[in-house]
Amino acid sequence: MNEHIYDLLKKMPEISGGEAEKALDFALEQTVGNLETFTHDFKRAFSENGFYTPTGNVNWTTGFWTGQIWLAWERAVKNGKEEWARRLKSAGEIQIESFLDRIDEKKEVDHHDMGFLYSPSCVAGYKLVGSGKGKEAAVKAADQLITRFHPVGEFIQAWGPMDQPENYRFIIDCLLNLPLLYWASQETGDRKYRDIAEKHIHTAIANVIREDYSTWHTFFMNMETGEPDHGAACQGYRDGSAWARGQAWGVYGTAMAYRYTGRKEYIEDFKHVTGYFLEHLPSDLVPYWDLEFGEGSEEPRDSSSASIAACGMLEMAKYMEPEDGEYYTGIARRIMKSVADGYAVKSPRESNGLVLHSTYSKKSPFNTCTPEGVDECNIWGDYFYMEALTRLCGDWNPYW
Ligand code: GLY
């Protein structure tokens, strides 16, 4: 544990307004430069030697690329780059058609990641340019997501067939899938989506946060009784360690839980989970892939966790007392300074992504994941980096 992190944080520089603007402008340019290859195709979940290759609309991750296009569109409009804005909007709309087709045809949608797929792509397109197809696709995705709700255990099941005890679990990441349900209730006037979201939030937060405020990645419930059973690592290093991205989903997830429910106890949960995350950072504020590993470790980093946590802090800061809000904004600014200076791509020759040194899944002797995307760009790392910069460059209406 890094006990000196708070002293260190005070001394570290924040990203300035000008630096955030410059980094966001490079991200915009890089995104426009990618459109030729990645308009009818999507970026894969992770790069190989720094370069993404094209894929169809598969996996849980394609929404982040479309979300990056919408963030770039917002920036292009703000900068008065009309031709870029036109191309970005057209690409975003082409991809929304693909998402509508995916949900209509039920292609790879038997899992809980409907929010990751449909919020930054289709909800964003609806909010920004009034896309009717975006709205239709996102409501259908919300309908799909609620089919995974277990009324007895009161949670949304993450993966696999719904009738097997070995799949009767939820994961911390799901907190970011739930804004889709709140949005669907608001758009349709039907409370059923938000009622389910609220029940899942309650079950998840009551069980994934451990006594020391580290978090479980996955948590099993008892299929007979619906009672909490046990936590288990999947992408983290081992049972009992804190997977860096799981903890970061917890930071952003508790912020979202507060935003949508207004329940004050989630502010405390946010502070605790964020505190654990910060106290286990190395001195440049970008975590190793599991928070078990500290300063000087040879293990790879997960830069995406840094940006995700920064987005969560910037979101939560909006609802806090001014002093607390400034505190978390200051931390987010310091984290993003480190990511922008030390991890972000600086030239298209180096990579066609935005942020290096991210880790999707690293195999350990104790976890159950498939190893992939280690020490590479990850598409959500790129997206949340750009979201964090967008938040730092002015008021932003979240896609979540
Ligand atoms: N939601 C899966 C991951 O963060 O890798």
Side-chain angles (χ1 to χ4, degrees):
M1 168 162 156
N2 189 347
E3 280 156 9
H4 307 297
I5 195 76
Y6 296 105
D7 288 339
L8 200 65
L9 269 167
K10 276 189 233 147
K11 291 187 206 130
M12 290 186 75
E14 298 185 3
I15 193 166
S16 69
E19 287 168 332
E21 303 272 348
K22 197 168 153 221
L24 187 53
D25 284 340
F26 176 76
L28 163 62
E29 215 176 305
Q30 184 83 328
T31 308
V32 171
N34 286 168
L35 288 180
E36 202 177 316
T37 312
F38 302 103
T39 290
H40 294 278
D41 280 314
F42 292 79
K43 285 189 170 183
R44 282 187 75 201
F46 52 89
S47 64
E48 283 164 276
N49 299 318
F51 285 83
Y52 289 98
T53 51
T55 178
N57 195 346
V58 291
N59 208 340
W60 65 279
T61 52
T62 43
F64 294 115
W65 169 238
T66 314
Q68 189 180 320
I69 288 175
W70 286 125
L71 289 170
W73 177 82
E74 289 200 63
R75 184 67 183 171
V77 169
K78 195 167 172 186
N79 286 356
K81 301 259 186 207
E82 283 173 27
E83 176 55 17
W84 284 5
R86 192 196 56 72
R87 286 178 57 201
L88 288 158
K89 178 167 178 262
S90 162
E93 287 174 335
I94 288 168
Q95 295 191 2
I96 283 177
E97 299 224 12
S98 166
F99 279 103
L100 181 56
D101 179 59
R102 180 168 174 174
I103 195 70
D104 279 340
E105 303 286 322
K106 298 268 194 292
K107 292 181 200 154
E108 286 197 33
V109 293
D110 278 330
H111 55 80
H112 70 153
D113 283 324
M114 295 303 106
F116 282 129
L117 285 169
Y118 284 83
S119 293
S121 57
C122 295
V123 173
Y126 172 62
K127 286 184 178 175
L128 295 173
V129 300
S131 168
K133 286 186 180 165
K135 177 179 174 183
E136 182 187 343
V139 172
K140 286 177 174 169
D143 282 325
Q144 174 69 14
L145 180 53
I146 60 173
T147 65
R148 302 192 65 81
F149 181 65
H150 284 295
V152 178
E154 300 201 329
F155 70 96
I156 293 171
Q157 183 180 307
W159 311 307
M162 297 288 283
D163 54 358
Q164 299 165 345
E166 66 270 28
N167 287 313
Y168 198 71
R169 68 170 154 182
F170 58 85
I171 71 173
I172 192 166
D173 322 26
C174 190
L175 292 170
L176 268 290
N177 284 319
L178 305 177
L180 177 70
L181 299 183
Y182 284 96
W183 171 85
S185 273
Q186 191 191 311
E187 287 303 318
T188 62
D190 188 337
R191 281 193 59 95
K192 71 180 174 203
Y193 305 99
R194 57 172 297 166
D195 288 347
I196 285 177
E198 213 137 299
K199 286 187 175 135
H200 179 96
I201 288 172
H202 184 72
T203 308
I205 291 185
N207 292 293
V208 290
I209 304 175
R210 304 184 188 115
E211 267 183 23
D212 64 355
Y213 307 119
S214 64
T215 51
W216 288 107
H217 176 201
T218 89
F219 198 91
F220 285 90
M221 306 291 278
N222 181 307
M223 200 164 177
E224 307 282 297
T225 62
E227 291 298 312
D229 203 281
H230 67 281
C234 173
Q235 281 159 277
Y237 180 68
R238 62 173 175 87
D239 285 348
S241 72
W243 176 46
R245 198 158 57 258
Q247 196 77 18
W249 292 135
V251 173
Y252 206 167
T254 48
M256 283 300 181
Y258 178 72
R259 171 192 164 131
Y260 283 107
T261 65
R263 288 173 68 153
K264 292 254 186 301
E265 65 264 34
Y266 296 149
I267 301 182
E268 292 311 305
D269 291 321
F270 164 85
K271 287 182 180 173
H272 291 315
V273 170
T274 304
Y276 189 94
F277 182 81
L278 295 174
E279 284 155 21
H280 291 78
L281 292 179
S283 55
D284 74 353
L285 309 182
V286 174
Y288 294 91
W289 67 280
D290 192 290
L291 300 181
E292 175 119 329
F293 307 115
E295 193 71 31
S297 167
E298 299 286 306
E299 292 288 330
R301 306 291 181 122
D302 177 30
S303 56
S304 75
S305 296
S307 298
I308 292 166
C311 287
M313 291 179 219
L314 293 170
E315 178 65 20
M316 193 67 199
K318 298 194 293 193
Y319 314 112
M320 299 176 117
E321 295 299 326
E323 202 181 321
D324 278 354
E326 276 162 33
Y327 172 73
Y328 287 104
T329 302
I331 293 177
R333 283 192 168 278
R334 289 173 172 93
I335 291 176
M336 293 317 294
K337 167 87 177 150
S338 179
V339 177
D341 284 0
Y343 293 78
V345 172
K346 303 291 185 307
S347 148
R349 285 186 298 281
E350 189 185 0
S351 165
N352 62 359
L354 298 182
V355 190
L356 305 167
H357 308 302
S358 188
T359 292
Y360 184 174
S361 288
K362 182 154 191 279
K363 191 82 194 94
S364 84
F366 316 109
N367 70 17
T368 56
C369 70
T370 310
E372 52 192 347
V374 175
D375 199 16
E376 286 288 345
C377 300
N378 286 165
I379 192 62
W380 57 88
D382 291 357
Y383 168 83
F384 285 107
Y385 171 68
M386 213 168 159
E387 182 185 305
L389 293 174
T390 304
R391 285 174 178 274
L392 292 172
C393 290
D395 286 340
W396 181 67
N397 181 20
Y399 306 160
W400 307 97

